[in-house]
Amino acid sequence: MSKTDGKDESVKSGKVSLYDVIIVGSGPAGYTAGIYTSRARLKTLLVTGTLPGGQLMTTSEVENYPGFPNGIFGPELMMNMRQQAERFGTIAVDDEVIQVDFKQRPFKITTSSEVFESKAVLICTGASPRKLGIKGEQMFAGRGVSYCATCDGPFFKGEDIVVVGGGDTALEEATFLSKFGKSIKIVHRRDSLRASKILQDKAFENPKIEFLWNSVVSDIIGDKKIASIVVRDVYNGKEQKIHAGGLFVAIGHDPNTGIFTGQLELDDKGYIALKNNSLTSVEGVFAAGDVHDYRYRQAITAGGFGCMAALDVEKWLTERKHSENKAISSSFYSNA
Ligand code: NAP
């Protein structure tokens, strides 16, 4: 674990520290929430998770985040957000939450090296790339199989590359990979794409990109690294072997909610179910960003949800304080 600002020695001391709010996760939702809660003078701890900055750390240029007319690189955007949250007092720790206990108050948050307590918790753990679940996928991960074109694309210079998926990510990644690869084949399980029209147009116009419709990848073949993949037609079951030096899987994401199972209500897809605005099924526990939103999943919407959740946390803590004070003063007068 590393801590960045040296403001709170209790983080390193080993004793349990009590926060007003602990934010779990460090994507746009988490950092935006940190900016708001720390500006509201709430004692805020933010546990970043294993990939500080979240999914945008593995993105190249972000062109659709307002305020940057010439675009900004994902990692730079996330570092800016982190610095902005820290500037107002958010304590960011680069650690992973391994356990939560929402059954007692204050809530208990256990990381791989510390135990923290908090009056409120805001979950911003996002979502992770989905796997194909086929033979060879795990074995060739990092040896030809990748889930992030912007991270690994430059390693595939001059290669024949296969991209799986028909959404925005698949098409955006295929277009990006065409800068490096010799050829790009997009394998999609249907005959129409769910990607936005502008990305479709870009891909259709790109002479390096070809589509294999109604097809799925059924096997990965190679030795030390990928040499070819097998593609199966979903209608007639016919298989063909395709030479490929790289396989980029871009088939969506799953929410990072494993540690919350049994602690709060999840929906049928495993995303956090919200009751009221950002409030989860446990009073005092809030959620924001891709961990509950599988529809929009944009940096700007995640940031917006982070802002809304932070305002909800502030309101809830204020109301709680008022009712506690009221209870104390009424017991004082009844005992007088
Ligand atoms: P997505 O929209 O859920 O698309 C996933 C794609 O993978 C779909 O085409 C789906 O096929 C296919 N797929 C799912 N499971 C599969 C499996 N087991 N085998 C084969 N194919 C499978 O995910 P996404 O593309 O990652 O996008 C997620 C969200 O981020 C979307 O809201 C998107 O608009 C947004 N996004 C936006 C941008 C941008 O605006 N620049 C860039 C990237 C992402 P079906 O179509 O048949 O379901």
Side-chain angles (χ1 to χ4, degrees), residues 4 35 59 65 67 87 94 99 125 170-172 177 192 200-201 206 208 247 261 268 271-272 300 302 313 318 321 323:
T4 54
I35 293 167
T59 305
Y65 200 87
R87 179 183 148 209
D94 291 333
Q99 200 177 15
T125 47
L171 268 60
E172 202 169 66
L177 288 166
S192 64
Q200 292 195 29
D201 289 345
N206 190 319
K208 280 194 187 172
L247 174 65
T261 308
D268 53 356
Y271 286 80
I272 291 181
I300 182 70
V313 167
T318 306
K321 203 168 177 187
S323 52

PDB file of all heavy atoms in Angstrom, residues 4 35 59 65 67 87 94 99 125 170-172 177 192 200-201 206 208 247 261 268 271-272 300 302 313 318 321 323:
ATOM      1  N   THR A   4      -0.355   8.934  -0.615  1.00  0.00           N
ATOM      2  CA  THR A   4       0.299   9.970  -1.394  1.00  0.00           C
ATOM      3  C   THR A   4       0.566  11.286  -0.686  1.00  0.00           C
ATOM      4  O   THR A   4       1.510  11.968  -0.993  1.00  0.00           O
ATOM      5  CB  THR A   4      -0.546  10.283  -2.629  1.00  0.00           C
ATOM      6  OG1 THR A   4      -1.841  10.585  -2.175  1.00  0.00           O
ATOM      7  CG2 THR A   4      -0.542   9.152  -3.601  1.00  0.00           C
ATOM      8  N   ILE A  35     -13.694  14.762  -4.571  1.00  0.00           N
ATOM      9  CA  ILE A  35     -13.621  16.231  -4.692  1.00  0.00           C
ATOM     10  C   ILE A  35     -14.772  16.860  -3.897  1.00  0.00           C
ATOM     11  O   ILE A  35     -14.588  17.786  -3.115  1.00  0.00           O
ATOM     12  CB  ILE A  35     -13.704  16.665  -6.181  1.00  0.00           C
ATOM     13  CG1 ILE A  35     -12.455  16.199  -6.936  1.00  0.00           C
ATOM     14  CG2 ILE A  35     -13.886  18.184  -6.302  1.00  0.00           C
ATOM     15  CD1 ILE A  35     -12.567  16.296  -8.459  1.00  0.00           C
ATOM     16  N   THR A  59      -6.699   3.656 -21.380  1.00  0.00           N
ATOM     17  CA  THR A  59      -7.262   4.281 -22.583  1.00  0.00           C
ATOM     18  C   THR A  59      -6.240   5.262 -23.132  1.00  0.00           C
ATOM     19  O   THR A  59      -5.485   5.842 -22.365  1.00  0.00           O
ATOM     20  CB  THR A  59      -8.531   5.087 -22.194  1.00  0.00           C
ATOM     21  OG1 THR A  59      -9.400   4.211 -21.527  1.00  0.00           O
ATOM     22  CG2 THR A  59      -9.225   5.685 -23.395  1.00  0.00           C
ATOM     23  N   TYR A  65     -14.620  13.978 -23.295  1.00  0.00           N
ATOM     24  CA  TYR A  65     -14.775  14.509 -21.939  1.00  0.00           C
ATOM     25  C   TYR A  65     -14.792  16.033 -22.043  1.00  0.00           C
ATOM     26  O   TYR A  65     -13.803  16.624 -22.491  1.00  0.00           O
ATOM     27  CB  TYR A  65     -13.635  14.025 -21.026  1.00  0.00           C
ATOM     28  CG  TYR A  65     -14.011  14.149 -19.572  1.00  0.00           C
ATOM     29  CD1 TYR A  65     -14.694  13.124 -18.929  1.00  0.00           C
ATOM     30  CD2 TYR A  65     -13.730  15.305 -18.866  1.00  0.00           C
ATOM     31  CE1 TYR A  65     -15.084  13.250 -17.607  1.00  0.00           C
ATOM     32  CE2 TYR A  65     -14.119  15.438 -17.540  1.00  0.00           C
ATOM     33  CZ  TYR A  65     -14.789  14.402 -16.920  1.00  0.00           C
ATOM     34  OH  TYR A  65     -15.176  14.537 -15.614  1.00  0.00           O
ATOM     35  N   GLY A  67     -14.504  19.962 -21.824  1.00  0.00           N
ATOM     36  CA  GLY A  67     -13.474  20.827 -21.245  1.00  0.00           C
ATOM     37  C   GLY A  67     -12.112  20.627 -21.869  1.00  0.00           C
ATOM     38  O   GLY A  67     -11.168  21.356 -21.554  1.00  0.00           O
ATOM     39  N   ARG A  87      -6.217  17.703  -3.324  1.00  0.00           N
ATOM     40  CA  ARG A  87      -6.059  19.134  -3.010  1.00  0.00           C
ATOM     41  C   ARG A  87      -7.037  19.581  -1.927  1.00  0.00           C
ATOM     42  O   ARG A  87      -6.740  20.421  -1.093  1.00  0.00           O
ATOM     43  CB  ARG A  87      -6.290  19.936  -4.295  1.00  0.00           C
ATOM     44  CG  ARG A  87      -6.174  21.413  -4.128  1.00  0.00           C
ATOM     45  CD  ARG A  87      -6.485  22.121  -5.437  1.00  0.00           C
ATOM     46  NE  ARG A  87      -7.095  23.403  -5.161  1.00  0.00           N
ATOM     47  CZ  ARG A  87      -7.941  24.012  -5.945  1.00  0.00           C
ATOM     48  NH1 ARG A  87      -8.304  23.467  -7.087  1.00  0.00           N
ATOM     49  NH2 ARG A  87      -8.432  25.174  -5.618  1.00  0.00           N
ATOM     50  N   ASP A  94      -3.350   3.606  -2.215  1.00  0.00           N
ATOM     51  CA  ASP A  94      -3.276   2.629  -3.303  1.00  0.00           C
ATOM     52  C   ASP A  94      -3.303   1.231  -2.693  1.00  0.00           C
ATOM     53  O   ASP A  94      -2.267   0.651  -2.378  1.00  0.00           O
ATOM     54  CB  ASP A  94      -1.988   2.836  -4.117  1.00  0.00           C
ATOM     55  CG  ASP A  94      -2.032   4.135  -4.895  1.00  0.00           C
ATOM     56  OD1 ASP A  94      -3.136   4.579  -5.229  1.00  0.00           O
ATOM     57  OD2 ASP A  94      -0.958   4.707  -5.144  1.00  0.00           O
ATOM     58  N   GLN A  99     -12.462  -6.945   2.126  1.00  0.00           N
ATOM     59  CA  GLN A  99     -13.653  -7.336   2.883  1.00  0.00           C
ATOM     60  C   GLN A  99     -14.383  -6.098   3.387  1.00  0.00           C
ATOM     61  O   GLN A  99     -13.733  -5.096   3.715  1.00  0.00           O
ATOM     62  CB  GLN A  99     -13.222  -8.183   4.080  1.00  0.00           C
ATOM     63  CG  GLN A  99     -14.321  -9.024   4.640  1.00  0.00           C
ATOM     64  CD  GLN A  99     -13.831  -9.914   5.789  1.00  0.00           C
ATOM     65  OE1 GLN A  99     -12.756  -9.710   6.339  1.00  0.00           O
ATOM     66  NE2 GLN A  99     -14.622 -10.881   6.138  1.00  0.00           N
ATOM     67  N   THR A 125     -16.615   0.954  -7.534  1.00  0.00           N
ATOM     68  CA  THR A 125     -15.639  -0.055  -7.967  1.00  0.00           C
ATOM     69  C   THR A 125     -15.715  -0.388  -9.455  1.00  0.00           C
ATOM     70  O   THR A 125     -14.915  -1.190  -9.951  1.00  0.00           O
ATOM     71  CB  THR A 125     -15.800  -1.353  -7.139  1.00  0.00           C
ATOM     72  OG1 THR A 125     -17.194  -1.665  -7.089  1.00  0.00           O
ATOM     73  CG2 THR A 125     -15.275  -1.188  -5.733  1.00  0.00           C
ATOM     74  N   ALA A 170     -15.303  -2.595 -29.224  1.00  0.00           N
ATOM     75  CA  ALA A 170     -14.698  -3.439 -30.262  1.00  0.00           C
ATOM     76  C   ALA A 170     -14.308  -2.598 -31.483  1.00  0.00           C
ATOM     77  O   ALA A 170     -13.204  -2.734 -32.026  1.00  0.00           O
ATOM     78  CB  ALA A 170     -15.669  -4.554 -30.670  1.00  0.00           C
ATOM     79  N   LEU A 171     -15.216  -1.719 -31.897  1.00  0.00           N
ATOM     80  CA  LEU A 171     -14.941  -0.935 -33.114  1.00  0.00           C
ATOM     81  C   LEU A 171     -13.883   0.136 -32.881  1.00  0.00           C
ATOM     82  O   LEU A 171     -13.030   0.380 -33.737  1.00  0.00           O
ATOM     83  CB  LEU A 171     -16.238  -0.338 -33.661  1.00  0.00           C
ATOM     84  CG  LEU A 171     -16.891  -1.272 -34.695  1.00  0.00           C
ATOM     85  CD1 LEU A 171     -17.241  -2.619 -34.114  1.00  0.00           C
ATOM     86  CD2 LEU A 171     -18.094  -0.637 -35.332  1.00  0.00           C
ATOM     87  N   GLU A 172     -13.943   0.726 -31.694  1.00  0.00           N
ATOM     88  CA  GLU A 172     -12.941   1.738 -31.365  1.00  0.00           C
ATOM     89  C   GLU A 172     -11.557   1.081 -31.303  1.00  0.00           C
ATOM     90  O   GLU A 172     -10.575   1.603 -31.815  1.00  0.00           O
ATOM     91  CB  GLU A 172     -13.297   2.355 -30.010  1.00  0.00           C
ATOM     92  CG  GLU A 172     -12.716   3.716 -29.783  1.00  0.00           C
ATOM     93  CD  GLU A 172     -13.329   4.361 -28.547  1.00  0.00           C
ATOM     94  OE1 GLU A 172     -13.102   3.866 -27.428  1.00  0.00           O
ATOM     95  OE2 GLU A 172     -14.040   5.356 -28.709  1.00  0.00           O
ATOM     96  N   LEU A 177      -6.252  -0.326 -33.430  1.00  0.00           N
ATOM     97  CA  LEU A 177      -5.283  -1.381 -33.758  1.00  0.00           C
ATOM     98  C   LEU A 177      -4.846  -1.336 -35.222  1.00  0.00           C
ATOM     99  O   LEU A 177      -3.764  -1.811 -35.568  1.00  0.00           O
ATOM    100  CB  LEU A 177      -5.884  -2.760 -33.433  1.00  0.00           C
ATOM    101  CG  LEU A 177      -6.005  -3.079 -31.939  1.00  0.00           C
ATOM    102  CD1 LEU A 177      -6.910  -4.277 -31.707  1.00  0.00           C
ATOM    103  CD2 LEU A 177      -4.630  -3.328 -31.327  1.00  0.00           C
ATOM    104  N   SER A 192     -25.464  -7.676 -37.190  1.00  0.00           N
ATOM    105  CA  SER A 192     -25.550  -6.215 -37.076  1.00  0.00           C
ATOM    106  C   SER A 192     -24.833  -5.791 -35.799  1.00  0.00           C
ATOM    107  O   SER A 192     -24.708  -6.572 -34.860  1.00  0.00           O
ATOM    108  CB  SER A 192     -27.002  -5.754 -37.073  1.00  0.00           C
ATOM    109  OG  SER A 192     -27.647  -6.269 -35.939  1.00  0.00           O
ATOM    110  N   GLN A 200     -19.131   2.849 -36.452  1.00  0.00           N
ATOM    111  CA  GLN A 200     -19.377   1.895 -37.541  1.00  0.00           C
ATOM    112  C   GLN A 200     -18.830   2.451 -38.859  1.00  0.00           C
ATOM    113  O   GLN A 200     -18.120   1.750 -39.586  1.00  0.00           O
ATOM    114  CB  GLN A 200     -20.880   1.633 -37.711  1.00  0.00           C
ATOM    115  CG  GLN A 200     -21.507   0.888 -36.573  1.00  0.00           C
ATOM    116  CD  GLN A 200     -22.894   0.346 -36.940  1.00  0.00           C
ATOM    117  OE1 GLN A 200     -23.163   0.051 -38.107  1.00  0.00           O
ATOM    118  NE2 GLN A 200     -23.755   0.196 -35.958  1.00  0.00           N
ATOM    119  N   ASP A 201     -19.166   3.707 -39.139  1.00  0.00           N
ATOM    120  CA  ASP A 201     -18.719   4.330 -40.393  1.00  0.00           C
ATOM    121  C   ASP A 201     -17.201   4.312 -40.500  1.00  0.00           C
ATOM    122  O   ASP A 201     -16.629   3.966 -41.537  1.00  0.00           O
ATOM    123  CB  ASP A 201     -19.230   5.776 -40.483  1.00  0.00           C
ATOM    124  CG  ASP A 201     -20.739   5.824 -40.715  1.00  0.00           C
ATOM    125  OD1 ASP A 201     -21.305   4.772 -41.079  1.00  0.00           O
ATOM    126  OD2 ASP A 201     -21.347   6.895 -40.513  1.00  0.00           O
ATOM    127  N   ASN A 206     -12.446   1.792 -43.151  1.00  0.00           N
ATOM    128  CA  ASN A 206     -11.029   1.463 -42.926  1.00  0.00           C
ATOM    129  C   ASN A 206     -10.632   0.253 -43.789  1.00  0.00           C
ATOM    130  O   ASN A 206     -11.179  -0.848 -43.609  1.00  0.00           O
ATOM    131  CB  ASN A 206     -10.833   1.148 -41.435  1.00  0.00           C
ATOM    132  CG  ASN A 206      -9.377   1.043 -41.051  1.00  0.00           C
ATOM    133  OD1 ASN A 206      -8.578   0.478 -41.790  1.00  0.00           O
ATOM    134  ND2 ASN A 206      -9.033   1.573 -39.896  1.00  0.00           N
ATOM    135  N   LYS A 208      -8.188  -1.693 -43.733  1.00  0.00           N
ATOM    136  CA  LYS A 208      -7.547  -2.816 -43.036  1.00  0.00           C
ATOM    137  C   LYS A 208      -8.555  -3.679 -42.266  1.00  0.00           C
ATOM    138  O   LYS A 208      -8.240  -4.766 -41.823  1.00  0.00           O
ATOM    139  CB  LYS A 208      -6.517  -2.276 -42.033  1.00  0.00           C
ATOM    140  CG  LYS A 208      -5.186  -1.872 -42.644  1.00  0.00           C
ATOM    141  CD  LYS A 208      -4.188  -1.696 -41.523  1.00  0.00           C
ATOM    142  CE  LYS A 208      -2.891  -1.123 -42.024  1.00  0.00           C
ATOM    143  NZ  LYS A 208      -1.993  -0.779 -40.906  1.00  0.00           N
ATOM    144  N   LEU A 247      -5.276 -11.499 -30.276  1.00  0.00           N
ATOM    145  CA  LEU A 247      -6.727 -11.604 -30.128  1.00  0.00           C
ATOM    146  C   LEU A 247      -7.167 -10.606 -29.062  1.00  0.00           C
ATOM    147  O   LEU A 247      -6.775 -10.728 -27.893  1.00  0.00           O
ATOM    148  CB  LEU A 247      -7.106 -13.031 -29.703  1.00  0.00           C
ATOM    149  CG  LEU A 247      -8.577 -13.267 -29.368  1.00  0.00           C
ATOM    150  CD1 LEU A 247      -9.456 -13.084 -30.592  1.00  0.00           C
ATOM    151  CD2 LEU A 247      -8.774 -14.669 -28.790  1.00  0.00           C
ATOM    152  N   THR A 261     -21.190  -9.109  -2.157  1.00  0.00           N
ATOM    153  CA  THR A 261     -22.207 -10.157  -2.164  1.00  0.00           C
ATOM    154  C   THR A 261     -22.570 -10.529  -0.721  1.00  0.00           C
ATOM    155  O   THR A 261     -21.689 -10.772   0.099  1.00  0.00           O
ATOM    156  CB  THR A 261     -21.677 -11.405  -2.908  1.00  0.00           C
ATOM    157  OG1 THR A 261     -21.201 -10.970  -4.172  1.00  0.00           O
ATOM    158  CG2 THR A 261     -22.767 -12.441  -3.119  1.00  0.00           C
ATOM    159  N   ASP A 268     -30.064  -8.691 -10.937  1.00  0.00           N
ATOM    160  CA  ASP A 268     -29.855 -10.029 -11.511  1.00  0.00           C
ATOM    161  C   ASP A 268     -28.582 -10.123 -12.358  1.00  0.00           C
ATOM    162  O   ASP A 268     -28.107 -11.220 -12.643  1.00  0.00           O
ATOM    163  CB  ASP A 268     -31.090 -10.475 -12.316  1.00  0.00           C
ATOM    164  CG  ASP A 268     -31.497  -9.443 -13.359  1.00  0.00           C
ATOM    165  OD1 ASP A 268     -30.876  -8.355 -13.400  1.00  0.00           O
ATOM    166  OD2 ASP A 268     -32.424  -9.723 -14.138  1.00  0.00           O
ATOM    167  N   TYR A 271     -25.021  -6.128 -10.712  1.00  0.00           N
ATOM    168  CA  TYR A 271     -24.741  -4.712 -10.453  1.00  0.00           C
ATOM    169  C   TYR A 271     -25.435  -4.307  -9.143  1.00  0.00           C
ATOM    170  O   TYR A 271     -26.401  -4.969  -8.712  1.00  0.00           O
ATOM    171  CB  TYR A 271     -25.284  -3.838 -11.601  1.00  0.00           C
ATOM    172  CG  TYR A 271     -24.446  -3.926 -12.863  1.00  0.00           C
ATOM    173  CD1 TYR A 271     -24.583  -5.000 -13.739  1.00  0.00           C
ATOM    174  CD2 TYR A 271     -23.517  -2.939 -13.180  1.00  0.00           C
ATOM    175  CE1 TYR A 271     -23.810  -5.099 -14.896  1.00  0.00           C
ATOM    176  CE2 TYR A 271     -22.742  -3.022 -14.332  1.00  0.00           C
ATOM    177  CZ  TYR A 271     -22.890  -4.098 -15.182  1.00  0.00           C
ATOM    178  OH  TYR A 271     -22.123  -4.189 -16.314  1.00  0.00           O
ATOM    179  N   ILE A 272     -24.953  -3.242  -8.515  1.00  0.00           N
ATOM    180  CA  ILE A 272     -25.559  -2.807  -7.266  1.00  0.00           C
ATOM    181  C   ILE A 272     -26.943  -2.217  -7.536  1.00  0.00           C
ATOM    182  O   ILE A 272     -27.102  -1.354  -8.410  1.00  0.00           O
ATOM    183  CB  ILE A 272     -24.659  -1.784  -6.531  1.00  0.00           C
ATOM    184  CG1 ILE A 272     -23.400  -2.518  -6.039  1.00  0.00           C
ATOM    185  CG2 ILE A 272     -25.397  -1.124  -5.376  1.00  0.00           C
ATOM    186  CD1 ILE A 272     -22.431  -1.680  -5.281  1.00  0.00           C
ATOM    187  N   ILE A 300     -17.930  10.725 -18.197  1.00  0.00           N
ATOM    188  CA  ILE A 300     -18.682  11.897 -17.769  1.00  0.00           C
ATOM    189  C   ILE A 300     -19.920  11.508 -16.942  1.00  0.00           C
ATOM    190  O   ILE A 300     -20.244  12.167 -15.955  1.00  0.00           O
ATOM    191  CB  ILE A 300     -19.061  12.790 -18.994  1.00  0.00           C
ATOM    192  CG1 ILE A 300     -19.814  14.050 -18.584  1.00  0.00           C
ATOM    193  CG2 ILE A 300     -19.865  12.036 -20.037  1.00  0.00           C
ATOM    194  CD1 ILE A 300     -18.998  15.061 -17.854  1.00  0.00           C
ATOM    195  N   ALA A 302     -20.192   8.653 -15.201  1.00  0.00           N
ATOM    196  CA  ALA A 302     -19.679   8.113 -13.931  1.00  0.00           C
ATOM    197  C   ALA A 302     -19.307   9.277 -13.001  1.00  0.00           C
ATOM    198  O   ALA A 302     -19.631   9.255 -11.810  1.00  0.00           O
ATOM    199  CB  ALA A 302     -18.472   7.220 -14.188  1.00  0.00           C
ATOM    200  N   VAL A 313     -24.437  11.593   0.244  1.00  0.00           N
ATOM    201  CA  VAL A 313     -23.698  11.204   1.461  1.00  0.00           C
ATOM    202  C   VAL A 313     -23.689  12.376   2.441  1.00  0.00           C
ATOM    203  O   VAL A 313     -23.982  12.223   3.630  1.00  0.00           O
ATOM    204  CB  VAL A 313     -22.236  10.801   1.114  1.00  0.00           C
ATOM    205  CG1 VAL A 313     -21.380  10.699   2.380  1.00  0.00           C
ATOM    206  CG2 VAL A 313     -22.200   9.475   0.349  1.00  0.00           C
ATOM    207  N   THR A 318     -25.438  14.780   7.482  1.00  0.00           N
ATOM    208  CA  THR A 318     -25.942  15.969   8.179  1.00  0.00           C
ATOM    209  C   THR A 318     -27.238  15.647   8.916  1.00  0.00           C
ATOM    210  O   THR A 318     -27.407  15.975  10.090  1.00  0.00           O
ATOM    211  CB  THR A 318     -26.194  17.113   7.157  1.00  0.00           C
ATOM    212  OG1 THR A 318     -24.993  17.302   6.423  1.00  0.00           O
ATOM    213  CG2 THR A 318     -26.585  18.407   7.828  1.00  0.00           C
ATOM    214  N   LYS A 321     -26.559  13.539  11.927  1.00  0.00           N
ATOM    215  CA  LYS A 321     -25.983  14.327  13.022  1.00  0.00           C
ATOM    216  C   LYS A 321     -27.083  15.101  13.750  1.00  0.00           C
ATOM    217  O   LYS A 321     -27.142  15.117  14.977  1.00  0.00           O
ATOM    218  CB  LYS A 321     -24.941  15.299  12.446  1.00  0.00           C
ATOM    219  CG  LYS A 321     -23.932  15.745  13.457  1.00  0.00           C
ATOM    220  CD  LYS A 321     -22.801  16.448  12.781  1.00  0.00           C
ATOM    221  CE  LYS A 321     -21.809  16.962  13.797  1.00  0.00           C
ATOM    222  NZ  LYS A 321     -20.793  17.769  13.182  1.00  0.00           N
ATOM    223  N   SER A 323     -30.279  14.337  13.915  1.00  0.00           N
ATOM    224  CA  SER A 323     -31.150  13.475  14.720  1.00  0.00           C
ATOM    225  C   SER A 323     -30.419  12.953  15.961  1.00  0.00           C
ATOM    226  O   SER A 323     -31.020  12.790  17.010  1.00  0.00           O
ATOM    227  CB  SER A 323     -31.766  12.344  13.892  1.00  0.00           C
ATOM    228  OG  SER A 323     -30.782  11.670  13.221  1.00  0.00           O
TER     229      SER A 323
END
